[in-house]
Amino acid sequence: MNLVPGSPFLSEKPPSPEVLEQLNKKYGLDQPTSVQLKKYILNTLKLDFGVSLKMQKNRPVIDILKEMFPTSAKIGLIALAWSILVGVPLGCLAAYHRGDNVDSFLRVLTTIGISVPGFVVATLLLIFFGVKLKILPTMGLNNVSGYILPCFSLGFNPMCLSLIHI
């Protein structure tokens, strides 16, 4: 990143050169790259990731991770569980009906699931089920229905991968 012009502190309203210099000094960006890398590695080993510059200004990143990790882990585990619990039986179904319409449909579904990036699947699901049909929430994890879209979109690709490996 040091080869690219710019700074993490530049935005639509760039700070004055004096403020930019103070920020670079505060965060060690005025030091050589080797010193920055050494400091980064040592801090990372101590689980010191610094403070958030954008998401939650001046809040330690480790605090944000500690707060958000349980939710992320829950979504990840649910996505993994459903991808296996659905993908393996669908793979068996495709193998049982080899060359049939069921196999052809599942082959197309699998090709889509592997080819389309997860963020595109998530966006399409949000638009269709959240905005157009209004049957699932587009934000918030307040109840079970709030987990459906994130877990489905996260688990769709692994589900398709487990389907083709049967």
Side-chain angles (χ1 to χ4, degrees):
M1 291 305 298
N2 288 328
L3 299 175
V4 179
S7 167
F9 310 113
L10 297 179
S11 63
E12 293 153 12
K13 292 183 183 178
S16 67
E18 297 82 27
V19 172
L20 188 59
E21 187 178 323
Q22 289 172 350
L23 287 169
N24 284 333
K25 187 169 182 67
K26 178 179 178 180
Y27 292 106
L29 298 177
D30 59 340
Q31 299 174 350
T33 306
S34 59
V35 174
Q36 291 179 38
L37 180 62
K38 180 181 174 187
K39 183 179 175 184
Y40 171 76
I41 291 171
L42 292 174
N43 287 343
T44 302
L45 291 173
K46 294 186 279 186
L47 297 179
D48 177 11
F49 303 113
V51 295
S52 175
L53 299 176
K54 298 281 183 189
M55 188 174 152
Q56 298 177 15
K57 286 196 182 269
N58 299 323
R59 184 168 175 214
V61 172
I62 193 70
D63 292 346
I64 298 170
L65 290 174
K66 285 177 185 176
E67 180 184 320
M68 302 295 184
F69 181 77
T71 303
S72 297
K74 185 176 182 180
I75 290 171
L77 289 173
I78 293 170
L80 177 66
W82 95 257
S83 68
I84 292 170
L85 293 173
V86 173
V88 171
L90 285 180
C92 294
L93 185 68
Y96 184 74
H97 292 283
R98 187 160 183 84
D100 199 352
N101 288 338
V102 172
D103 181 38
S104 298
F105 171 76
L106 291 174
R107 191 173 306 142
V108 169
L109 180 73
T110 301
T111 303
I112 291 169
I114 293 172
S115 304
V116 179
F119 69 90
V120 174
V121 172
T123 303
L124 293 174
L125 290 172
L126 279 171
I127 291 170
F128 188 70
F129 290 107
V131 177
K132 295 285 184 193
L133 297 179
K134 294 183 174 99
I135 58 175
L136 291 172
T138 56
M139 58 185 285
L141 299 171
N142 303 329
N143 53 27
V144 175
S145 65
Y147 283 89
I148 293 173
L149 291 179
C151 293
F152 183 84
S153 59
L154 185 62
F156 186 60
N157 179 276
M159 185 269 303
C160 292
L161 288 171
S162 67
L163 199 154
I164 64 168
H165 287 97
I166 296 296

